[in-house]
């Protein structure tokens, strides 16, 4: 097959972007301490490990393993160690290395932490300002000839940066969150040379200076503060962001929502003196701005002794025994093979991964299942489909779940799913949300378009995300390349703020994607039975590189009902490799030719 542009060298000229996979079109548009802690008691459901248990009870706490590297300001050779990890991970897109780089509170001088694949960097304070790097945390694309569209699976969290040259470079693609960061300067989201870029996600962060997306095709920023925003290409979405540009979609394509209806920030590891704890931020409604700005993070905290600290090689049976004992799970960096699902049955359970800990279900099992209980927090790990087809990879709530979780929802944050790429993988439906009020906050669910084990049937995966539960909110939904529907939404009162999608590149012909009388499966399909649903800032792209003559009828499909509303939709044909006839249902202009210009619908109906 013709190489995907994800494999191609971009035209690196900032004023003459090439056309192709995620080609960049358009030029810059309008320019756009000592924290007090509230409520550190553990939830009542999280009883200390071993109390009343047999002597064989699994222990909580313990060391974080060899791939969690902890620094303090007096650690010798910090830069050399950062460089060593980067050298291993810079181009290891489908490798097995996993690393978490953790910095104790204090001030660090003259560092440049370059981040490669499966590498997370984080501060260990309660506030980002507790851990200051006078230097940079850098993601660039030199390994890929200046093309940043494959800079996946890396993260930065809970640090203050004072960039050496005034601006920090963070040229990432999907699955690369920038959370709880304070940049005392500007932030550049493009690679050196302004090559292709396709990201991305910022939350609970303050950028004192200007954010320059430059070549970034799309981006979602939530509950943050920015000193300015330079430009937009196709789809820039903001919710709860102080300093965000005004609503102006489609020219420039800014979707700006004053507040985020419901949010609860991701759990994070921190140090209380010499003791590791995990902070659990509280839920906010109508959220705006950062949670830590006044030095008073709000939420609860658990000691590491209440976590089973898992290491690669542990069995699913042991993980489930730890959960049965009342322990939480901390997954240290590495790869975990599962011969049965991890089963989360207890309210307020935390499953937190470090350094892109990766779960691989063997023999067609589901990697992780959650009961219909309150307040579960899943965060910071990758699920990689195995070679035997799994019916599902992640299930939040059992089929038919109906309990009201509005006061204490389950959150799924920085949980990423991959089918193929690192080797053969298959799954019928990747992520299924059955529990009501679940918040899916930043996910990338990806049927691989490159790597090993990739082909129309080789990494078959018909459905990406299926939402059956009512009152589900998705903030930052990235779902790509599924054989049929990328997103199916059956629950009532669902909401999505920001959606990024590409249809599968590798459809062999028109017949392979035929959906009854319709040409192709919508990227985002709301079931005919739904009476209330709303979405803001949703985009779908096609790049049918095996058969560029394929026609996709529309990117979005939904019932014509008064309570079903969409704002700021777009579809794009990348370089004329396939076309859309409409944007949503039978509405919107068709794409045409090779111009890679979006067709948009500002409001539907």
């Amino acid at each position: 097959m013709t190489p995907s542009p994800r494999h191609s060298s971009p035209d690196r000229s900032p004023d003459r972007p090439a056309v192709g996979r995620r080609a960049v079109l358009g030029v810059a548009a309008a320019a756009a301490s000592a924290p007090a802690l509230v409520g550190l008691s553990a939830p009542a459901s999280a009883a200390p490990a071993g109390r009343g248990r047999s002597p064989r009870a699994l222990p909580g706490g313990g060391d974080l393993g060899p791939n969690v590297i902890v620094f303090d300001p007096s650690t010798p050779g910090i830069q050399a160690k950062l460089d060593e990890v980067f050298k291993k991970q810079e181009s290891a897109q489908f490798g097995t290395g996993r690393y978490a780089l953790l910095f104790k509170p204090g001030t660090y001088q003259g560092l440049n932490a370059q981040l490669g694949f499966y590498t997370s960097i984080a501060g260990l304070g309660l506030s980002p300002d507790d851990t200051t790097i006078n230097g940079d945390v850098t993601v660039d694309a030199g390994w890929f000839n200046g093309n940043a569209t494959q800079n996946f699976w890396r993260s930065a969290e809970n640090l203050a940066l004072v960039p050496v040259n005034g601006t920090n470079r963070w040229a990432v693609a999907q699955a690369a969150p920038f959370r709880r960061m304070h940049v005392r300067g500007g932030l550049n989201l493009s690679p050196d040379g302004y090559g292709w870029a396709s990201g991305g996600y910022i939350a609970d962060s303050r950028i004192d200076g200007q954010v320059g997306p430059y070549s970034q095709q799309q981006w979602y920023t939530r509950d943050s503060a920015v000193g300015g925003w330079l430009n937009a290409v196709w789809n820039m979405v903001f919710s709860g962001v102080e300093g965000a540009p005004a609503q102006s979609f489609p020219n420039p394509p800014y979707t700006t929502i004053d507040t985020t209806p419901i949010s609860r920030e991701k759990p994070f590891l921190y140090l209380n003196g010499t003791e590791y704890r995990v902070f659990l931020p509280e839920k906010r409604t109508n959220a705006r701005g950062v949670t830590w700005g006044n030095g008073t993070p709000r939420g609860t905290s658990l000691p590491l002794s209440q976590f089973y600290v898992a290491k690669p090689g542990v069995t699913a049976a042991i993980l489930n025994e730890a959960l049965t004992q009342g322990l939480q799970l901390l997954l240290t960096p590495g790869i975990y093979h599962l011969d049965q699902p991890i089963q989360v049955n207890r309210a307020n359970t935390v499953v937190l991964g470090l350094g892109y800990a990766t779960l691989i279900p063997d023999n067609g099992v589901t990697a992780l299942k959650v009961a219909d209980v309150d307040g579960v927090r899943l965060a910071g790990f990758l699920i990689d489909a195995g070679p035997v087809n799994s019916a599902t990879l992640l299930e939040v709530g059992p089929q038919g779940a109906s309990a009201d979780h509005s006061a204490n929802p389950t959150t799924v944050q920085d949980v990423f799913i991959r089918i193929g790429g690192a080797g053969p993988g298959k799954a019928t439906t990747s992520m299924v949300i059955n529990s009501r009020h679940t918040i899916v906050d930043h996910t990338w669910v990806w049927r691989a378009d490159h790597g090993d084990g990739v082909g129309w049937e080789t990494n078959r995966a018909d459905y990406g995300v299926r939402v059956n539960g009512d009152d589900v909110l998705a903030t930052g939904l990235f779902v790509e390349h599924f054989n049929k529907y990328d997103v199916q939404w059956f629950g009532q009162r669902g909401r999505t703020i920001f959606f990024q999608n590409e249809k599968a590149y590798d459809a062999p012909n028109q017949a392979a994607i035929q959906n009854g009388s319709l040409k192709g499966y919508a990227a985002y399909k709301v079931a005919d039975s739904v009476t209330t649903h709303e979405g803001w800032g949703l985009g779908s792209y096609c790049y049918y590189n095996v058969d560029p003559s394929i026609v996709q009828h529309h990117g979005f499909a939904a019932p014509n009902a008064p309570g079903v509303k969409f704002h700021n939709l777009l579809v794009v044909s990348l370089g004329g490799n396939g076309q859309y006839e409409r944007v949503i249902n039978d509405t919107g202009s068709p794409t045409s030719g090779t111009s890679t210009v979006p067709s948009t619908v500002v409001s539907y109906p």
Side-chain angles (χ1 to χ4, degrees):
M1 96 170 66
T2 305
S4 157
R6 264 186 173 150
H7 294 279
S8 306
S9 299
D11 176 342
R12 295 177 58 175
S13 165
D15 57 356
R16 212 167 40 81
V19 173
R21 163 66 179 81
R22 291 183 172 162
V24 177
L25 290 183
V27 293
S33 65
L37 190 58
V38 177
L40 276 182
S41 59
S45 61
R51 182 175 296 171
R53 304 286 180 181
S54 71
R56 298 183 61 189
L58 294 168
D63 74 89
L64 300 176
N67 291 334
V68 175
I69 303 166
V70 181
F71 304 101
D72 67 47
S74 65
T75 301
I78 297 176
Q79 186 64 55
K81 188 64 178 180
L82 296 174
D83 292 346
E84 176 190 332
V85 172
F86 179 64
K87 185 177 180 181
K88 292 177 182 177
Q89 299 304 113
E90 180 182 11
S91 58
Q93 181 172 179
F94 297 111
T96 57
R98 304 286 187 274
Y99 292 92
L101 310 172
L102 304 182
F103 286 75
K104 294 182 180 180
T107 301
Y108 299 78
Q109 300 293 343
L111 298 180
N112 181 18
Q114 299 183 83
L115 299 188
F117 288 97
Y118 314 109
T119 306
S120 297
I121 189 170
L124 287 170
L126 265 175
S127 165
D129 290 324
D130 293 343
T131 310
T132 298
I133 293 177
N134 287 308
D136 295 81
V137 171
T138 301
V139 178
D140 205 347
W143 73 279
F144 200 45
N145 300 314
N147 179 346
T149 63
Q150 291 183 30
N151 283 348
F152 315 133
W153 304 307
R154 63 202 75 196
S155 67
E157 187 172 359
N158 205 29
L159 292 164
L161 305 178
V162 184
V164 170
N165 294 318
T167 301
N168 189 80
R169 186 182 300 278
W170 185 254
V172 298
Q174 287 76 10
F178 197 80
R179 286 187 182 270
R180 202 176 171 80
M181 295 287 287
H182 185 189
V183 181
R184 298 177 195 164
L187 188 65
N188 182 345
L189 304 179
S190 73
D192 185 27
Y194 303 96
W196 297 341
S198 181
Y201 177 90
I202 293 170
D204 200 22
S205 294
R206 181 178 296 277
I207 293 90
D208 293 346
Q210 179 172 258
V211 178
Y214 298 103
S215 55
Q216 281 287 356
Q217 292 157 356
Q218 69 280 314
W219 200 276
Y220 175 50
T221 307
R222 178 182 63 70
D223 299 349
S224 293
V226 299
W229 195 274
L230 177 63
N231 72 292
V233 177
W234 291 339
N235 191 30
M236 299 285 165
V237 180
F238 308 84
S239 68
V241 178
E242 298 169 353
Q247 168 70 36
S248 58
F249 188 93
N251 186 27
Y254 293 137
T255 297
T256 302
I257 305 168
D258 191 55
T259 61
T260 305
I262 308 167
S263 66
R264 190 175 69 192
E265 299 302 332
K266 175 179 172 284
F268 62 92
L269 190 69
Y270 75 102
L271 277 172
N272 180 28
T274 59
E275 177 197 25
Y276 282 108
R277 298 181 72 92
V278 172
F279 191 76
L280 308 176
E282 72 175 14
K283 186 186 77 170
R284 296 197 291 169
T285 57
N286 299 319
R288 182 171 173 84
V290 301
T291 63
W292 47 269
N294 61 3
T296 312
R298 301 186 66 87
T300 57
S301 176
L302 295 175
L304 197 64
S305 61
Q306 291 188 17
F307 284 78
Y308 179 74
V309 180
K311 311 287 172 51
V314 70
T315 64
I318 293 295
L319 296 175
N320 283 326
E321 173 58 24
L323 290 168
T324 299
Q325 285 180 204
L327 292 170
Q328 323 293 336
L329 293 184
L330 185 73
L331 306 173
T332 65
I335 295 174
Y336 297 76
H337 281 270
L338 307 173
D339 62 357
Q340 59 180 277
I342 298 172
Q343 185 68 59
V344 177
N345 294 324
R346 191 181 70 253
N348 301 310
T349 298
V350 180
V351 180
L352 176 62
L354 300 179
Y356 286 81
T358 302
L359 308 178
I360 301 179
D362 294 328
N363 302 317
V365 303
T366 298
L368 193 149
K369 295 183 177 184
V370 180
D372 194 20
V373 295
D374 271 1
V376 172
R377 304 183 195 227
L378 308 178
F381 55 90
L382 172 64
I383 299 174
D384 211 350
V388 178
N389 185 73
S390 293
T392 59
L393 295 172
L394 173 65
E395 293 180 17
V396 178
Q399 187 173 358
S402 60
D404 186 323
H405 303 296
S406 56
N408 186 12
T410 285
T411 44
V412 181
Q413 300 178 283
D414 300 347
V415 174
F416 308 117
I417 295 179
R418 177 173 68 194
I419 302 95
K426 291 186 177 183
T428 303
T429 306
S430 290
M431 181 185 294
V432 179
I433 307 296
N434 292 316
S435 286
R436 294 180 62 195
H437 302 101
T438 299
I439 301 171
V440 180
D441 176 45
H442 190 226
T443 189
W444 185 40
V445 182
W446 185 59
R447 176 180 168 265
D449 60 276
H450 63 273
D452 295 329
V454 170
W456 184 247
E457 296 295 345
T458 307
N459 62 329
R460 183 84 193 186
D462 282 352
Y463 309 108
V465 175
R466 178 174 289 171
V467 179
N468 297 318
D470 295 339
D471 307 290
V472 171
L473 171 66
T475 51
L477 186 60
F478 300 73
V479 188
E480 297 191 288
H481 307 151
F482 286 85
N483 294 78
K484 292 184 178 179
Y485 290 115
D486 298 279
V487 173
Q488 290 176 291
W489 209 295
F490 295 93
Q492 297 288 356
R493 298 177 297 281
R495 291 177 289 185
T496 295
I497 303 173
F498 181 89
F499 172 66
Q500 186 266 330
N501 164 263
E502 286 181 342
K503 297 302 299 173
Y505 295 176
D506 53 347
N509 49 50
Q510 186 75 45
I513 64 161
Q514 193 67 20
N515 180 15
S517 61
L518 280 177
K519 299 171 185 174
Y521 291 80
Y524 188 106
K525 163 69 172 174
V526 180
D528 292 343
S529 58
V530 170
T531 57
T532 306
H533 187 92
E534 197 159 9
W536 297 262
L538 281 60
S540 177
Y541 320 152
C542 73
Y543 184 78
Y544 288 115
N545 63 339
V546 175
D547 181 359
S549 71
I550 289 176
V551 174
Q552 174 84 23
H553 180 63
H554 48 214
F556 304 91
N560 288 307
V564 177
K565 302 174 184 178
F566 287 91
H567 315 274
N568 306 343
L569 303 176
L570 68 145
V571 296
V572 184
S573 166
L574 303 183
N577 290 276
Q579 302 290 346
Y580 293 89
E581 291 180 326
R582 295 289 183 262
V583 179
I584 179 169
N585 294 344
D586 296 317
T587 298
S589 300
T591 57
S592 62
T594 60
S595 59
T596 316
V597 173
S599 293
T600 61
V601 168
V602 173
S603 182
Y604 185 87

